[in-house]
Amino acid sequence: MVQIVSGPKGSGKTKTMIDYANDNNANHEGEVVFINDREKYRVKLDNQIRYINVEDFFIDDPKVFFGFLNGVIAENYDITTIYIDNVLRIVNLDNISQLESLFSDIRKLEDKYSVQFVLSVCAEDSEIPEFMKPALS
């Protein structure tokens, strides 16, 4: 199941995601991927974690990002977990409710390829739409 890390800006979501990824990498088999749109977090991750800075690519909406995720998985079927930090900013959306289609598509990838997704969103728990509530961590 897709897992959500939520909280207001500055609440430590990225640090939590980095800690999760590092712990996951140390305790599990398979490949771990961390996706962000900032280069500065690369040094905080274990060097065995594949870090992808999406600013290097031409991602401007949820459908393009979904295609990108398909390519990441197609390139390496050993991926077990993909962390996506600040998904709203990556896909250029202003409102968390606009993530419903992408969230549904990510669940399809999760089911088909047995890849776990952990997403961070800048929102209070009370702002999380119903379609995401089961994924709150």
Side-chain angles (χ1 to χ4, degrees):
M1 170 176 277
V2 178
Q3 184 178 351
I4 301 295
V5 175
S6 65
K9 185 175 180 164
S11 63
K13 294 178 301 300
T14 298
K15 182 184 180 329
T16 298
M17 295 278 286
I18 289 169
D19 290 346
Y20 284 173
N22 285 334
D23 289 346
N24 186 359
N25 190 59
N27 299 317
H28 293 88
E29 291 185 25
E31 301 292 322
V32 176
V33 176
F34 194 96
I35 299 173
N36 199 312
D37 63 345
R38 308 266 164 92
E39 192 61 33
K40 69 182 181 179
Y41 300 113
R42 180 185 302 266
V43 298
K44 296 182 185 286
L45 288 163
D46 184 301
N47 62 5
Q48 293 179 343
I49 295 172
R50 181 172 174 205
Y51 186 86
I52 301 173
N53 179 354
V54 294
E55 282 192 338
D56 295 338
F57 303 95
F58 303 97
I59 296 171
D60 57 1
D61 67 38
K63 284 295 181 194
V64 172
F65 186 59
F66 180 66
F68 178 81
L69 291 174
N70 277 273
V72 167
I73 293 170
E75 184 268 333
N76 183 350
Y77 287 108
D78 292 330
I79 294 171
T80 56
T81 311
I82 297 177
Y83 294 87
I84 305 169
D85 189 33
N86 206 335
V87 68
L88 283 170
R89 189 171 62 214
I90 288 173
V91 297
N92 296 316
L93 294 177
D94 298 322
N95 189 317
I96 194 169
S97 64
Q98 296 171 307
L99 285 175
E100 188 166 9
S101 179
L102 177 62
F103 196 79
S104 174
D105 288 342
I106 286 173
R107 277 190 260 153
K108 291 175 192 172
L109 287 177
E110 201 172 45
D111 291 343
K112 184 168 185 171
Y113 297 105
S114 298
V115 175
Q116 179 184 6
F117 286 86
V118 182
L119 287 65
S120 75
V121 293
C122 192
E124 297 282 352
D125 285 353
S126 62
E127 299 172 313
I128 302 295
E130 286 300 316
F131 69 88
M132 289 181 122
K133 284 190 179 176
L136 278 174
S137 62

